[in-house]
Amino acid sequence: MQIIGLGTDIVEVKRIEILAQKPGALSRLFTQHELDYSLARKNKYEHLAARFAAKEAVFKALPFAEIAFKNIQVSNLENGCPQVTVADERAKDLMILISLTHTKEYALATAVVQK
């Protein structure tokens, strides 16, 4: 496989916490699956921030520019490892690797796109 894209992003957790106070803001950015997972966690804003950073990192790494954030979904495998699904025909032959991390203040994600 050949690497065709690399993206990284860092997000302040507080930014997502403030965003969450605006009606409908989270549902415009996150899938229901992402919201269900993150909002059930003790540190929900850290988890949302990590997913937001992941979406930004994937967006930056993809070889095509136009894609809605809700078409990029971050979930976890049974072992806890994050995975990304892109709901776009142009991504069908791509493999996307993702790494997430977060603290109380920041969330960081890196994405590698392979073909």
Side-chain angles (χ1 to χ4, degrees):
M1 295 203 124
Q2 175 185 8
I3 294 175
I4 60 169
L6 173 66
T8 190
D9 196 65
I10 186 168
V11 175
E12 287 182 86
V13 173
K14 189 72 171 168
R15 178 177 168 213
I16 300 301
E17 189 174 349
I18 291 168
L19 181 69
Q21 307 311 311
K22 297 178 182 179
L26 294 181
S27 63
R28 285 191 299 274
L29 297 171
F30 299 99
T31 66
Q32 191 60 49
H33 177 81
E34 292 167 327
L35 290 172
D36 290 345
Y37 174 84
S38 298
L39 296 176
R41 299 286 184 255
K42 178 181 174 185
N43 303 321
K44 60 187 169 189
Y45 298 117
E46 292 173 26
H47 288 273
L48 285 170
R51 276 149 182 71
F52 186 86
K55 289 170 180 270
E56 283 279 2
V58 169
F59 183 83
K60 292 172 183 177
L62 286 172
F64 46 89
E66 299 170 3
I67 186 164
F69 262 33
K70 284 186 78 166
N71 287 348
I72 302 169
Q73 179 172 280
V74 182
S75 58
N76 292 77
L77 298 171
E78 285 186 25
N79 64 4
C81 291
Q83 68 174 3
V84 173
T85 306
V86 177
D88 190 297
E89 184 66 23
R90 297 170 291 179
K92 70 178 182 180
D93 295 328
L94 303 178
M95 173 186 265
I96 303 172
L97 307 173
I98 191 87
S99 179
L100 311 176
T101 191
H102 57 80
T103 67
K104 291 181 182 180
E105 296 177 354
Y106 297 98
L108 176 79
T110 301
V112 175
V113 177
Q114 296 178 317
K115 185 170 185 173

